[in-house]
Amino acid sequence: FFRGPTLERIWTASYRADAFKLDLKETSPDYVDLVVEFLTTRPIDRDIIVASRSPEVLATIRDRAPGTILLLSVPDVDTFTRLQGDVQLQRTIDGVTARESIIDAEMTAWLNERDLILFAWTVNDIERVNELIGLGVDGITTDNLAILTLLDEPS
């Protein structure tokens, strides 16, 4: 199996970045404890963003690493509908990271009304990038290096 670099090595290598984002797929208490320990023992020299599909994981991180920016990962409309009905979760998170195909004007308006940020994933089509920017998304994830280059150019 492939064993990538350690989290410590990635942290060190990204020292110039303005933000450090973790997208947590694991939800076990031991794993979350290790993530919290890692985050709380690092200098606060950049924004730390943690995304997860688990409201419980996000609540734990909110309690134990309160300066972390928390995003609920929203893969489908049903997950977004559950968020709309969960006031406690809305208070826990700072925003969502959503599959780009479910993002529309209604979603962005609802999130904006609550001052919740919105990241879109994975956007590899420049036309869709422009649509999402027009809708007011705060950030995108892409595999397309040409899009990254375009977005990094000053206007």
Side-chain angles (χ1 to χ4, degrees), residues 5-143:
T6 65
L7 187 54
E8 179 66 41
R9 186 168 179 189
I10 294 168
W11 176 269
T12 301
S14 65
Y15 73 95
R16 291 186 193 175
D18 295 331
F20 188 85
K21 182 177 178 259
L22 297 173
D23 192 349
L24 305 182
K25 308 298 186 198
E26 174 65 45
T27 61
S28 71
D30 289 343
Y31 177 80
V32 175
D33 287 345
L34 289 170
V35 170
V36 168
E37 179 183 346
F38 181 86
L39 295 176
T40 58
T41 58
R42 297 298 170 281
I44 304 172
D45 58 357
R46 60 191 113 172
D47 290 333
I48 306 300
I49 304 167
V50 173
S52 176
R53 291 185 185 184
S54 168
E56 295 79 14
V57 166
L58 296 171
T60 297
I61 294 173
R62 173 63 71 222
D63 289 342
R64 296 177 51 203
T68 306
I69 298 167
L70 300 177
L71 303 178
L72 178 67
S73 185
V74 178
D76 52 46
V77 174
D78 289 343
T79 302
F80 186 68
T81 301
R82 283 192 298 277
L83 169 62
Q84 290 176 300
D86 189 337
V87 175
Q88 182 61 40
L89 180 56
Q90 294 170 35
R91 289 185 189 127
T92 299
I93 63 173
D94 299 294
V96 303
T97 179
R99 183 182 309 274
E100 63 84 15
S101 61
I102 68 166
I103 297 172
D104 59 19
E106 293 166 10
M107 176 188 280
T108 56
W110 188 88
L111 292 165
N112 284 334
E113 288 171 8
R114 287 152 186 82
D115 292 321
L116 296 172
I117 58 177
L118 173 59
F119 286 11
W121 50 270
T122 300
V123 190
N124 291 321
D125 176 72
I126 191 66
E127 289 180 30
R128 183 61 174 152
V129 168
N130 288 328
E131 289 173 18
L132 292 168
I133 290 171
L135 289 173
V137 300
D138 299 291
I140 67 162
T141 300
T142 184
D143 297 323

